[in-house]
Amino acid sequence: MTQYYVFNGDADGLCALHQLRLVDPISANLVTGVKRDIKLLDRVEANSGDRVTVLDISLDSNRIDLMRLLEMGVIVDYFDHHHAGEIPQHPNLTPYIDLSAEVCTSLLVDQYLNGAFHLWAITAAFGDNLIKKAQQLAHTAGLIEAEAEQLARLGEYLNYNGYGDSLSDLHFHPEKLYKELESYSNPFDFIAESYAFTQLASGFNEDMSQAALLNPLMSNDRCAAYLLPDAPWARRATGNFANKLANENPERAHAVITPNHSGKYTVSVRASLANPQGADVLCLQFDTGGGRKAAAGINHLPTDSLDNFVTRFKQHFS
């Protein structure tokens, strides 16, 4: 039997993978990519009796290849919190899917493992911008405020590394970043000892300082949209900049729009923290759109659809 782990390259996917492999570090094939690269099951050429564990990518976006694998006799465990559509009823599929607004994939894995590496799940919740939930979990775990802040920074940096139009935009290939995490059962040790943490912190602070100088494309009391420049730093900053805007303006929804290498736009949408609903509904109106209720996106928005998107964005959240 060959084991495959197929995981999103962001904080949630990384921390979900890390928890599972700390419990069961068997030899496995890893399949991942940048955060927006979610149709990952098409890269898996497994055979009957092999096992595939899927982490933090939409079932609906991978439905065709999921069914291909299941019909071939591959055993699939599916952990996710994104739009799933109808979940197939198949004897080879075990779904751990929850679309609730205060859930991320690492928290589902944490529940599955009975809290074996709970601090990594809290780190992922911070990285996925589930700030209130993460703070509650940190308090319940007995962490002092300074320790919770450390995990928040780590989650933010891991998430930041996943954003980019291509792997060349990233500081670390997600698989390489996982290898840096691999030997650390405690995230505080990773923070204290790893050069990767230092490098990500430096890159994050530099990119976010540039993002802070931007003015909105449009804004009102209910929503605001920002158009970023065509630059690697902007593609890296897009997700965390969207989270920062959401946290600083909890009554407002936000869209962050960034040019990508295909000549189109990549869009990150955050519903307001006061009412974390509807981001997925908006983005699913566009080709290559998807996500979850509180946070969603569009991978390839044509440039001539920008005005249409901004209009629909304003209508949707106003």
Side-chain angles (χ1 to χ4, degrees):
M1 182 199 80
T2 301
Q3 170 74 55
Y4 293 82
Y5 287 99
V6 183
F7 64 101
N8 196 317
D10 69 356
D12 197 17
L14 283 166
C15 291
L17 172 72
H18 189 35
Q19 291 176 81
L20 288 169
R21 288 185 56 74
L22 282 169
V23 171
D24 187 12
I26 62 171
S27 176
N29 294 322
L30 305 181
V31 180
T32 189
V34 298
K35 180 179 175 64
R36 296 284 187 174
D37 193 359
I38 59 169
K39 292 186 178 180
L40 296 174
L41 283 186
D42 61 0
R43 303 182 196 173
V44 178
E45 296 298 334
N47 298 305
S48 179
D50 290 344
R51 190 172 211 103
V52 175
T53 302
V54 187
L55 301 165
D56 202 41
I57 57 174
S58 163
L59 186 153
D60 201 44
S61 296
N62 288 274
R63 184 177 303 277
I64 292 173
D65 285 289
L66 172 61
M67 296 311 300
R68 169 179 62 86
L69 294 169
L70 293 172
E71 293 303 321
M72 287 176 59
V74 177
I75 307 300
V76 180
D77 299 307
Y78 212 116
F79 295 83
D80 190 44
H81 66 132
H82 298 93
H83 173 72
E86 184 177 351
I87 299 174
Q89 302 297 309
H90 196 286
N92 291 343
L93 174 65
T94 304
Y96 303 88
I97 294 175
D98 187 339
L99 308 187
S100 304
E102 288 199 341
V103 169
C104 64
T105 300
S106 284
L107 291 178
L108 296 175
V109 170
D110 181 55
Q111 184 178 38
Y112 173 75
L113 297 177
N114 296 313
F117 295 98
H118 190 50
L119 295 182
W120 282 109
I122 295 173
T123 299
F126 275 120
D128 225 30
N129 206 42
L130 301 178
I131 304 301
K132 185 176 180 180
K133 179 69 172 180
Q135 288 172 337
Q136 291 171 347
L137 292 172
H139 177 75
T140 303
L143 301 182
I144 63 173
E145 186 175 343
E147 290 172 326
E149 181 63 24
Q150 280 187 290
L151 295 188
R153 294 286 77 74
L154 174 57
E156 202 166 28
Y157 300 158
L158 294 177
N159 206 53
Y160 156 76
N161 184 74
Y163 278 93
D165 191 37
S166 66
L167 292 168
S168 63
D169 286 334
L170 311 186
H171 292 289
F172 294 91
H173 188 296
E175 184 174 343
K176 184 177 188 297
L177 185 53
Y178 164 68
K179 295 296 184 182
E180 296 296 325
L181 298 173
E182 191 173 21
S183 61
Y184 293 95
S185 60
N186 188 315
F188 293 113
D189 293 334
F190 177 80
I191 292 167
E193 300 171 10
S194 174
Y195 85 98
F197 177 82
T198 303
Q199 184 172 333
L200 287 175
S202 176
F204 175 88
N205 290 328
E206 183 177 331
D207 290 351
M208 290 300 286
S209 67
Q210 296 193 71
L213 302 175
L214 297 170
N215 292 314
L217 181 66
M218 64 71 53
S219 67
N220 59 37
D221 290 343
R222 304 301 298 274
C223 58
Y226 285 75
L227 180 61
L228 274 60
D230 185 1
W233 75 261
R235 292 188 287 272
R236 288 192 299 266
T238 179
N240 289 84
F241 182 52
N243 290 343
K244 180 176 183 289
L245 292 169
N247 294 328
E248 290 179 348
N249 303 276
E251 300 292 330
R252 246 178 15 188
H254 294 87
V256 175
I257 305 154
T258 313
N260 60 39
H261 291 155
S262 70
K264 299 179 181 179
Y265 292 116
T266 299
V267 182
S268 291
V269 175
R270 299 291 182 271
S272 70
L273 295 182
N275 183 27
Q277 307 288 330
D280 55 343
V281 173
L282 172 67
C283 292
L284 285 166
Q285 296 176 28
F286 297 86
D287 289 343
T288 74
R292 51 193 175 86
K293 295 176 182 179
I298 305 166
N299 289 341
H300 299 287
L301 179 74
T303 55
D304 59 5
S305 297
L306 177 60
D307 290 343
N308 180 37
F309 168 77
V310 173
T311 298
R312 288 204 210 177
F313 170 72
K314 289 165 61 178
Q315 292 172 343
H316 188 72
F317 287 109
S318 296

